[in-house]
């Protein structure tokens, strides 16, 4: 008796430990998004644009600093023939001069460099906004891949259960045919449904493989495709009203930010084009040293301090045309910003409407599944008593199968609608989701 009790205790502990282990290692959507945030190649490539923009800013900063250069020349003279005015040979005195110099130069006036520097600073903000946009796209793709693999596994399970049910149905109908309770046509209907279920099960297996590959492409490697934890609600708060969603989107949507920064850059381009018509001034100091300068002088050391002012007041009209061109581009960017704001409001309203409709649809499908289960149970019992035909059972099974498939898709669509709303307002990012 003690042995039996001990075996029971050990078995219970083993089962509970296995359940706890499976729960502990279940991959949540947060885990998948963190993995995609760290490892997605497209997102990492976009991060490099931030570094590129920072270096562009450093390059522009160099325009405010002096430049220094060192120059050295060495020449060798070899005169082959030298005659005087009377035609006689003149004495040849070749020299081999060596000249070295160092030059410091500083721009004193340049009306374009300040606008160029500000443009590059805006460019860094623009690169960050584009990174945010890419981040949102990747995180939403990751959500689609995560939920897609879950649904694929559910479809495989649903179709597997349906296949087993129809296999039993065919076996039962063969027995009922032998005792004369059904006809050959009834058996043929069951076998036809079984063949269709087998095809659907094969398709479901292929869908699991396809969705697993998509998961690994967007998110990363996965050890257990069946170990994903399903959820129906977003793990962060979503807006409670359409007006709140639109208000948040106008502050956070990366597309609006990108359009604003591009307009600001266009304004700086106009200033830069105007600066081409403005004067510039530079100051330079050069010290040079020469050896074997000529037959008369052996060494020379001198300093040259030079101020240069340049004003390109006319260049055939090209600079004026460039100013006009950049003004037109500025107007274009302003119109694109206005259009982006209008498009944003439409997209947010559409995402909000989709969320509400998907929630209502999910509630209806749940009722549909419950009704289909009750109908299938009743028709199956009536079939056993002989008051229902094989066709009635097949139709009932089909309705239940379609309802279960619709439920799995509706649950996924409801979750995606929540994250699509977050994406439309610009909150599907690592800061709001608290990804690491």
């Amino acid at each position: 008796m003690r042995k039996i009790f001990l075996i029971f205790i050990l078995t219970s502990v083993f089962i509970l430990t296995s359940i706890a282990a499976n729960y502990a290692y279940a991959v949540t959507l947060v885990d998948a998004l963190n993995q995609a945030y760290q490892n997605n190649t497209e997102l990492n490539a976009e991060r490099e644009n931030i570094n590129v923009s920072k270096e562009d800013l450093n390059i522009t900063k160099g325009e405010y600093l002096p430049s220094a250069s060192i120059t050295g020349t060495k020449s060798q003279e070899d005169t082959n023939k030298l005659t005087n005015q009377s035609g006689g040979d003149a004495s040849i005195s070749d020299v081999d001069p060596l000249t070295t110099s160092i030059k410091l130069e500083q721009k004193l006036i340049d009306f374009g460099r300040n606008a160029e520097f500000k443009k590059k600073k805006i460019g860094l903000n623009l690169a960050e906004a584009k990174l945010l946009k890419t981040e949102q796209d990747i995180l939403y793709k990751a959500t689609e891949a995560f939920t897609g693999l879950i649904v694929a596994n559910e479809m495989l399970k649903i179709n597997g259960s349906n296949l087993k049910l129809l296999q039993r149905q065919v076996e039962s109908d063969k027995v009922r045919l032998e005792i004369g309770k059904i006809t050959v046509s009834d058996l043929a209907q069951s076998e036809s449904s079984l063949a269709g279920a087998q095809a659907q099960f094969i398709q479901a297996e292929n869908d699991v493989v396809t969705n697993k590959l998509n998961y690994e492409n967007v998110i990363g490697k996965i050890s257990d495709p069946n170990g994903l934890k399903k959820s129906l609600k977003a793990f962060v708060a979503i807006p409670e009203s359409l007006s709140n969603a639109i208000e948040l989107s106008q502050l956070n949507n990366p597309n609006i930010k990108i359009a604003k920064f591009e307009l600001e850059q266009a304004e700086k381009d106009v200033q830069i084009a105007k600066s081409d018509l403005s004067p510039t001034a530079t100051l330079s100091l050069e010290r040079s040293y020469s050896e074997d300068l000529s037959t008369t002088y052996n060494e020379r050391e001198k300093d040259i301090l030079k101020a240069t002012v340049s004003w390109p007041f006319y260049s055939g009209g090209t600079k004026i045309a460039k100013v006009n061109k950049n003004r037109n581009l500025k107007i274009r960017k302003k119109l694109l910003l206005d259009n982006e704001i209008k498009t944003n409001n439409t997209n947010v309203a559409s995402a909000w409407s989709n969320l509400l409709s998907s929630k209502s649809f999910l509630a209806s499908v749940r009722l549909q599944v419950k009704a289909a289960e009750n109908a299938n149970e009743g028709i199956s019992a009536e079939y056993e008593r002989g008051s229902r035909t094989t066709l009635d059972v097949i139709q009932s099974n089909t309705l239940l199968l379609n309802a279960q498939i619709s439920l799995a898709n509706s649950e996924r669509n409801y979750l995606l609608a929540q994250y699509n709303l977050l994406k439309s307002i610009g909150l599907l990012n690592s800061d709001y989701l608290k990804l690491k």
Side-chain angles (χ1 to χ4, degrees), residues 245-254 256-257 260 344 425-426:
I246 292 177
E247 182 180 351
L248 287 171
S249 69
Q250 291 174 349
L251 296 174
N252 300 291
N253 189 287
I256 295 179
K257 290 182 178 181
K260 286 182 178 179
N344 169 75
I425 63 179

Side-chain angles (χ1 to χ4, degrees), residues 219-384:
I219 300 174
K221 288 292 183 181
I222 179 172
S223 57
D224 182 15
N226 295 306
L228 303 183
K229 186 177 180 180
K230 184 176 180 179
S231 60
L232 295 181
K233 290 187 177 181
F235 59 86
V236 291
I238 61 175
E240 297 180 354
S241 65
L242 176 57
S243 59
N244 185 28
I246 292 177
E247 182 180 351
L248 287 171
S249 69
Q250 291 174 349
L251 296 174
N252 300 291
N253 189 287
N255 291 324
I256 295 179
K257 290 182 178 181
I258 290 172
K260 286 182 178 179
F261 290 138
E262 288 181 343
L263 174 59
E264 292 176 7
Q265 282 193 325
E267 292 172 345
K268 298 305 175 186
D269 283 335
V270 173
Q271 295 179 16
I272 293 170
K274 287 181 178 179
S275 70
D276 291 339
L277 297 170
S278 303
T280 60
T282 60
L283 181 67
S284 65
L285 173 62
E286 181 178 9
R287 167 166 289 190
S288 63
Y289 173 78
S290 301
E291 291 182 359
D292 198 12
L293 186 62
S294 67
T295 56
T296 306
Y297 303 102
N298 181 40
E299 294 183 0
R300 183 180 69 183
E301 183 176 316
K302 68 176 180 179
D303 294 330
I304 301 175
L305 180 63
K306 182 170 66 174
T308 304
V309 177
S310 175
W311 191 353
F313 60 89
Y314 181 73
S315 58
T318 57
K319 297 186 183 299
I320 293 294
K322 185 177 179 181
V323 172
N324 294 333
K325 171 188 172 183
N326 286 339
R327 282 174 176 166
N328 293 333
L329 290 174
K330 173 187 170 183
I331 295 173
R332 177 178 179 271
K333 293 297 183 181
K334 179 63 172 64
L335 294 173
L336 289 175
L337 173 59
D338 294 339
N339 179 69
E340 192 60 54
I341 293 174
K342 294 178 182 177
T343 302
N344 169 75
N345 294 343
T346 302
N347 290 340
V348 173
S350 176
W352 178 262
S353 176
N354 184 47
L355 174 62
L356 296 181
S357 62
S358 62
K359 184 177 181 180
S360 300
F361 188 77
L362 175 59
S364 299
V365 172
R366 283 173 174 167
L367 295 176
Q368 180 186 5
V369 171
K370 186 176 181 180
E373 289 174 344
N374 293 335
N376 182 259
E377 183 179 351
I379 290 174
S380 297
E382 293 170 0
Y383 175 76
E384 294 297 329

Side-chain angles (χ1 to χ4, degrees), residues 2 22 29 85 100 111 120 141 149 169 181 219 234 244 287 300 302 308 339 381 409 422:
R2 289 181 179 178
N22 290 333
L29 179 57
Q85 292 292 339
T100 58
F111 293 97
K120 295 303 181 182
K141 285 182 181 179
L149 184 54
Q169 178 73 35
K181 286 190 175 182
I219 300 174
N244 185 28
R287 167 166 289 190
R300 183 180 69 183
K302 68 176 180 179
T308 304
N339 179 69
N409 286 322
L422 290 174

Side-chain angles (χ1 to χ4, degrees), residues 66-87:
S67 62
S69 61
I70 297 176
T71 305
T73 61
K74 171 67 176 175
S75 62
Q76 180 177 351
E77 297 181 2
D78 188 8
T79 304
N80 296 320
K81 183 179 181 180
L82 184 66
T83 60
N84 54 30
Q85 292 292 339
S86 62

Side-chain angles (χ1 to χ4, degrees), residues 47-59:
R47 288 189 178 109
E48 288 302 314
N49 272 337
I50 300 294
N51 297 328
V52 171
S53 297
K54 288 179 179 179
E55 294 305 321
D56 282 339
L57 187 60
N58 290 333
I59 292 171

